[in-house]
Amino acid sequence: MDVATGEIIPLVAAIIGLGVGAQLLAARFQVPSIIFLISAGLLLGPFSGFIFGTRLLSAATFGAEALPAIVGLSVAIIVFEGAFHLRIDRIKEAPSATLRLVTVGAAIALLGTAATIKFALGQPWDLSFLIGALLVATGPTVVTPILQVVPVRDRVAAALETEGIINDVSAAIIAVVIFEVVILQDRAGVAFLRDFASRLGIGLLVGLVVAVIVYYLLRYVDLSPGNAPRNARLLAFAGALVAFATADTIASEAGVAAVATAGLVLGNLDVPYEDEIEAFKGDVTLIVLSFVFIALAALLEIDDLLRLGLAGLVVVAAVIFVIRPLLVFISARGDRFTRSEKLFISFVGPRGIIPASVATLFAVEMQAHGLDQQAQLLVGTVFLVIFATVALEGGFARYIAEYLDVIPMRVIIVGGGQVGRALAERLEDRGENVVIVEEEEQTVEHARNEGYSVVWGDGTDTDILREAGAANAKTVVAATGDDDANLLIAQLSSSKFDTNRVIARANNPDNVEAFEELGVRTISSAMATAWAMDNQIERPALAHWMTDVGRKGDVQEVEVSPDGELAGRTVEEIGPKLPDTCLIALVDRDGEVEVPGPDFQIEGGDRVTLLGKREAVRDAMKMCNHE
C-alpha cells in the first residue's frame, strides 16, 4: 500500500464518521445538520491543520481531476434526490410566487449581490457578477435540513424547496458561462446567452430522455421479482449518475440541469417501489453530502476570509438583511402568504453545496491561469456568505419561526382507511396541515398516491406519533378500525404530548361510554351514520350544504384575534363589513355557545362560526384572524 492510499483511507473514514455524527447531533438538538458538517470540516482542516498538514486532499493525493469528479458526482446525487422529492402538486400551492422567486427574485439576487461586491470590495464587474451568480443558489442541501426541524406550511416549504432546486441549476449554469465566456474569453452579450441556453437545453433534454428510459425499465421490464425493490433503487441511482455524466460531458454544468430534470420527472410519475427509492437515495445523499461539505470546508484557508475584513461583513449583511427580504417581498406579493410567512422566507436563504463546490473548482482553474488574487477573493467571499447564512439562518430558523408564529398546528389522523382519508380531504380543503399515520403498507401507498402526507408506522408507538408531529398538533384523531388502538392513541396524545383536542372513533357503540369516562371525546361510527341519515330526512337542505363543502359552501369556526377587524364590534356593525354571502351563525365564549343578536359584541378570544360561500368564508376568517 503506497503512502497516499495509506493516508486517504483513514481520512475518508474520518469524514464519513464525522458526517454520521453530525446527522445524529442534528437530530438530537433539532438543528440543521449543515451547521455540524461545516464545523467538522473547519476542525478537520484550517483549525487543526490535519488536512493541510498532510496534504491529504491535494491533487498529488487524489489526482488532478479526481476531487472535482468526486464533488461533481456527489452534487448529482444530492440534486437528484432533492428534485425527486419535489411534487408538482406542492408547487401549485403557490405557483405565481414560486415562478417569481426563480425569475424576478433570482435576477434581484444576482444584480444586488454583484453591485454590493463591486462597490463594497472594489472588484471589476465580471468577477462581481461571477460571485453574484454563485450566491443566487440556495439549494435543497441547506433548505431541506432547516425544513426538517421547522415544519412550516406546505405552501412555504414548496416555495423554498422549488426555489432551491431551480436556482441550483440556473446559478450553476450562469456562473459557468460567466466564468468561461466573460472571464476566460472576454466575451459577453450574444455569446453569453447562447452558451446559457445551450447548456440548459442540453441538460433538460438529457434529463428527460434518461427519466423516460428509467421509467420504462421500472414500469414495464421484469426486474427479477425476488430482488425488484433493490434493482429499482440501483436503477434510479444509476440513472442519476448517467444523466449527470452524459450532459456534463457535452457541456460543463449541464449535468446539474440534467439530474434535476430527471429527478423531477421521475418523482412525479407513478414509478414502482417509490418509497424504497426515496429511502435509499436519502441515505446515500446523507453520506455524500457529509463528505462534500466536510471536505470543502476543510480545504478552506481562513486567511481568505480574513482578507475581506469589514467589507466582507458588509457583503454578508447586504445579502441577508437587504437583498433577500427585497426579492422575497417583491416575488411573494399578494395575499397567498401572510406577512409573517414572507418574513420567514426572507430569513431562510442559506447558500450551500453548489456555490461551495463550483467556487472551489473555479479557484483551481483561476490559479492555473495566474489569477491567484481573484481566486482567493472568490473563495473567501463565497464561503464567508455560506458560513454566515448557514450559521445564522440554520441555527436560528426554528426560533425565528416560533417568534413569527409560522409553524402551523397539525392535525394528525391515525388510520389511513376510507374514514381517515375522507376526513383528511375535508380538513386539507379548509387549509389544515394534515398528517396521516398508517401501518399498512398498501394503504400508505394509496394515501400517498392521493397526495396526502403520510407517516408509515404504528400509531400506538410514541416515537411514530412524535415523528408525525404530535408535539405540535392541535388535534389528534384516532380513526382506526380497532377500538383498543384508538383508546391507546387518545391516551398517549393526551398524556405524552398534551394535545389540545383528541377525538377517537368508536367502532363498537358499546365502547362509547367507556371512552368518555376516560376523558376521550368519542364519535361512534353507528351514531355518526344515524346522524347523517337523520339530517337527510329532517334537514335535507342543511345536510346538502354540509356535505357539499368545498364546492358550494363552507362552515368554519375561527378564533377572533384581539387585533382582528371584528374584535370590539357588535354584530350589527360587523354585518356590512362581512362579505355579502357570509354570516356569523354562532359564538363560543368560554364554552358558552349562543346565536348572537344584532347588539352582541364580538371580543378577542371568541370563537365564531361562519356560514356562507366558500371564498366569502375564507375572506371573513382573515378578518377575524389574519393568520
Side-chain angles (χ1 to χ4, degrees):
M1 180 181 294
D2 57 28
V3 175
T5 303
E7 292 176 336
I8 204 170
I9 288 177
L11 171 66
V12 173
I15 290 177
I16 292 176
L18 287 170
V20 173
Q23 302 295 339
L24 296 177
L25 287 172
R28 171 65 179 83
F29 294 104
Q30 291 290 287
V31 174
S33 58
I34 302 300
I35 294 176
F36 295 107
L37 293 174
I38 289 182
S39 299
L42 292 175
L43 290 174
L44 198 61
F47 289 168
S48 68
F50 176 64
I51 286 181
F52 286 126
T54 57
R55 306 299 298 169
L56 289 179
L57 291 181
S58 65
T61 301
F62 271 111
E65 301 296 331
L67 185 57
I70 293 172
V71 171
L73 291 174
S74 299
V75 168
I77 295 169
I78 293 166
V79 172
F80 181 87
E81 198 262 346
F84 191 82
H85 281 85
L86 195 60
R87 298 291 183 265
I88 297 298
D89 289 341
R90 295 193 66 199
I91 298 176
K92 291 178 180 178
E93 285 286 319
S96 58
T98 301
L99 179 61
R100 288 194 294 266
L101 272 175
V102 299
T103 52
V104 176
I108 293 173
L110 173 60
L111 296 174
T113 307
T116 302
I117 293 168
K118 163 68 178 176
F119 296 108
L121 298 178
Q123 297 302 309
W125 279 112
D126 55 358
L127 184 59
S128 298
F129 271 103
L130 177 63
I131 299 174
L134 287 173
L135 293 179
V136 167
T138 51
T141 57
V142 282
V143 171
T144 301
I146 292 176
L147 297 179
Q148 287 174 345
V149 298
V150 186
V152 293
R153 289 193 183 278
D154 281 351
R155 61 174 178 257
V156 177
L160 288 169
E161 289 173 343
T162 306
E163 179 197 23
I165 292 290
I166 295 178
N167 280 357
D168 258 4
V169 174
S170 59
I173 295 176
I174 291 173
V176 168
V177 174
I178 291 176
F179 181 70
E180 294 183 356
V181 175
V182 179
I183 293 182
L184 297 185
Q185 301 176 27
D186 195 24
R187 295 187 297 151
V190 176
F192 173 85
L193 294 176
R194 184 182 63 248
D195 274 37
F196 175 79
S198 65
R199 281 174 164 82
L200 181 60
I202 290 168
L204 293 175
L205 178 61
V206 171
L208 182 60
V209 171
V210 170
V212 170
I213 294 173
V214 172
Y215 175 74
Y216 178 81
L217 293 175
L218 287 172
R219 194 75 184 167
Y220 300 109
V221 176
D222 185 5
L223 298 177
S224 178
N227 297 313
R230 182 196 65 189
N231 293 339
R233 295 193 298 265
L234 295 176
L235 183 59
F237 181 72
L241 298 182
V242 168
F244 176 81
T246 302
D248 213 57
T249 300
I250 299 172
S252 60
E253 295 306 318
V256 178
V259 291
T261 302
L264 184 62
V265 172
L266 283 173
N268 285 277
L269 293 175
D270 184 20
V271 296
Y273 310 110
E274 182 176 335
D275 291 339
E276 288 85 351
I277 293 173
E278 285 189 355
F280 175 70
K281 292 198 68 61
D283 291 340
V284 174
T285 297
L286 288 179
I287 294 175
V288 298
L289 177 64
S290 301
F291 180 84
V292 173
F293 256 117
I294 292 176
L296 293 179
L299 285 171
L300 180 68
E301 295 190 41
I302 296 299
D303 288 343
D304 290 340
L305 301 179
L306 297 179
R307 289 191 190 98
L308 297 173
L310 183 61
L313 298 180
V314 171
V315 172
V316 170
V319 167
I320 295 177
F321 300 113
V322 179
I323 299 172
R324 178 67 181 177
L326 176 65
L327 73 87
V328 168
F329 273 82
I330 291 177
S331 301
R333 64 182 182 274
D335 60 358
R336 183 61 174 167
F337 295 101
T338 67
R339 182 173 179 273
S340 294
E341 288 172 342
K342 292 175 185 177
L343 287 172
F344 177 76
I345 297 173
S346 299
F347 184 75
V348 179
R351 274 53 175 183
I353 198 67
I354 290 291
S357 58
V358 177
T360 302
L361 302 183
F362 283 174
V364 172
E365 192 165 348
M366 291 173 79
Q367 289 173 337
H369 285 79
L371 303 173
D372 290 356
Q373 184 177 356
Q374 291 90 329
Q376 292 170 354
L377 185 133
L378 169 70
V379 172
T381 305
V382 169
F383 271 89
L384 180 62
V385 173
I386 291 174
F387 290 159
T389 55
V390 167
L392 290 175
E393 299 174 3
F396 293 96
R398 187 173 186 88
Y399 302 105
I400 295 296
E402 290 174 348
Y403 177 77
L404 295 173
D405 194 24
V406 298
I407 301 179
M409 300 291 280
R410 290 186 172 186
V411 176
I412 298 175
I413 301 174
V414 183
Q418 291 183 348
V419 173
R421 294 200 306 275
L423 177 60
E425 179 183 7
R426 296 175 67 84
L427 292 174
E428 286 197 342
D429 181 67
R430 294 171 181 174
E432 297 286 358
N433 188 24
V434 181
V435 178
I436 295 175
V437 177
E438 175 58 52
E439 61 178 335
E440 292 293 334
E441 182 176 1
Q442 188 174 0
T443 306
V444 169
E445 185 176 352
H446 190 183
R448 285 178 175 168
N449 288 338
E450 291 182 0
Y452 298 112
S453 176
V454 185
V455 172
W456 185 10
D458 183 358
T460 62
D461 187 327
T462 304
D463 291 335
I464 296 296
L465 288 175
R466 182 176 290 108
E467 180 184 348
N472 190 49
K474 66 177 180 182
T475 304
V476 173
V477 179
T480 74
D482 184 341
D483 283 357
D484 290 337
N486 288 341
L487 179 59
L488 179 56
I489 292 163
Q491 291 176 323
L492 286 174
S493 301
S494 298
S495 61
K496 297 290 186 180
F497 300 104
D498 194 26
T499 306
N500 294 342
R501 181 167 48 194
V502 180
I503 302 172
R505 168 188 174 187
N507 299 279
N508 185 347
D510 295 337
N511 291 332
V512 173
E513 185 177 350
F515 277 32
E516 292 183 341
E517 286 178 354
L518 294 172
V520 177
R521 190 177 303 181
T522 309
I523 301 295
S524 166
S525 296
M527 287 302 300
T529 304
W531 293 335
M533 296 178 73
D534 181 49
N535 284 334
Q536 291 289 346
I537 295 170
E538 300 294 340
R539 294 165 290 276
L542 180 61
H544 177 72
W545 181 271
M546 291 295 295
T547 56
D548 208 26
V549 170
R551 286 187 288 171
K552 293 183 179 178
D554 202 358
V555 181
Q556 286 287 329
E557 183 178 316
V558 62
E559 182 174 330
V560 177
S561 62
D563 58 348
E565 293 184 43
L566 308 189
R569 300 178 184 271
T570 65
V571 172
E572 185 176 18
E573 293 172 330
I574 292 170
K577 296 180 176 294
L578 288 175
D580 292 338
T581 55
C582 178
L583 57 85
I584 298 175
L586 298 171
V587 177
D588 180 351
R589 177 176 296 170
D590 299 328
E592 295 292 330
V593 181
E594 61 180 292
V595 178
D599 297 329
F600 187 94
Q601 181 171 310
I602 303 296
E603 298 178 355
D606 287 348
R607 296 193 64 85
V608 299
T609 299
L610 301 169
L611 176 70
K613 288 188 176 180
R614 174 187 168 87
E615 295 304 323
V617 169
R618 295 296 192 277
D619 292 340
M621 290 176 68
K622 293 177 183 177
M623 296 174 65
C624 294
N625 190 323
H626 65 88
E627 293 293 338

